[in-house]
Amino acid sequence: MRRCSTPQGKRKAEAVMSDPAIVVPDQPGETDRKAIVEALVAFNDKAAGPSGFQPLAVLIQDPVTAATLGGLWGKIVYDWLFVELLVVPEQFRGKRIGAQILARAEEIAQARGCVGVWLDTYAFQAPGFYDKLGYEVFGSLEDHPRGSQRLFLRKRL
């Protein structure tokens, strides 16, 4: 049996010095987030292959100023489109703009090889809207916020 050539006392000191610090910053920065994302992506790529990450936005813009007023913000990862954000400004609601935006995102996702779309919404937001468009609940988080729930929905393309 081979023994380590470093004396035991020194090995312990080296181990303590190499242990990471656990820190909770008051204002986490984008550099910190980027480091976490890069480490996670490297792990995932090694375990499951490249994710094929592609950002996707379908925007509602002011016709005069081209300022973004709302829309959809998402990403394609591992053959699914995740809709992170979707908002139609109040003055445009009831005109099927939300349905048009989601339909366009679904078309793009399908053209890019996605098998489905998933998203989350709160019970007080628009679960009926998604239901009418063929989305089904596949999970929920009770009491988020308290007295309500967060719903996770999907639609196969």
Side-chain angles (χ1 to χ4, degrees), residues 124-152:
F124 61 82
Q125 287 179 328
F129 164 77
Y130 295 111
D131 184 59
K132 289 177 189 175
L133 297 175
Y135 284 78
E136 63 178 345
V137 174
F138 70 89
S140 65
L141 183 59
E142 302 301 317
D143 283 329
H144 183 58
R146 288 190 179 153
S148 190
Q149 58 186 176
R150 190 170 188 170
L151 304 168
F152 298 86

Side-chain angles (χ1 to χ4, degrees), residues 75-146:
K75 60 186 172 186
I76 294 172
V77 179
Y78 292 120
D79 306 320
W80 280 79
L81 168 61
F82 169 60
V83 176
E84 183 178 353
L85 304 168
L86 176 60
V87 66
V88 175
E90 198 167 342
Q91 69 267 32
F92 302 120
R93 293 181 189 157
K95 299 179 180 183
R96 300 207 31 85
I97 292 174
Q100 291 173 40
I101 289 171
L102 210 44
R104 183 69 181 117
E106 291 169 5
E107 290 169 9
I108 294 167
Q110 195 165 32
R112 294 182 184 178
C114 289
V115 297
V117 180
W118 74 281
L119 54 89
D120 62 88
T121 189
Y122 292 104
F124 61 82
Q125 287 179 328
F129 164 77
Y130 295 111
D131 184 59
K132 289 177 189 175
L133 297 175
Y135 284 78
E136 63 178 345
V137 174
F138 70 89
S140 65
L141 183 59
E142 302 301 317
D143 283 329
H144 183 58
R146 288 190 179 153

Side-chain angles (χ1 to χ4, degrees), residues 1-130:
M1 184 166 140
R2 185 178 168 163
R3 296 196 177 259
C4 182
S5 61
T6 306
Q8 187 174 3
K10 190 171 183 183
R11 281 195 311 261
K12 285 182 181 177
E14 288 174 356
V16 170
M17 288 176 44
S18 65
D19 286 348
I22 306 298
V23 178
V24 179
D26 290 333
Q27 296 292 322
E30 188 56 35
T31 303
D32 300 317
R33 184 183 188 284
K34 184 178 178 188
I36 293 167
V37 167
E38 287 175 357
L40 182 59
V41 167
F43 174 85
N44 290 349
D45 285 354
K46 187 175 179 183
S51 71
F53 171 85
Q54 298 175 56
L56 177 64
V58 181
L59 306 175
I60 301 169
Q61 292 186 333
D62 183 290
V64 176
T65 66
T68 299
L69 306 173
L72 178 148
W73 188 268
K75 60 186 172 186
I76 294 172
V77 179
Y78 292 120
D79 306 320
W80 280 79
L81 168 61
F82 169 60
V83 176
E84 183 178 353
L85 304 168
L86 176 60
V87 66
V88 175
E90 198 167 342
Q91 69 267 32
F92 302 120
R93 293 181 189 157
K95 299 179 180 183
R96 300 207 31 85
I97 292 174
Q100 291 173 40
I101 289 171
L102 210 44
R104 183 69 181 117
E106 291 169 5
E107 290 169 9
I108 294 167
Q110 195 165 32
R112 294 182 184 178
C114 289
V115 297
V117 180
W118 74 281
L119 54 89
D120 62 88
T121 189
Y122 292 104
F124 61 82
Q125 287 179 328
F129 164 77
Y130 295 111

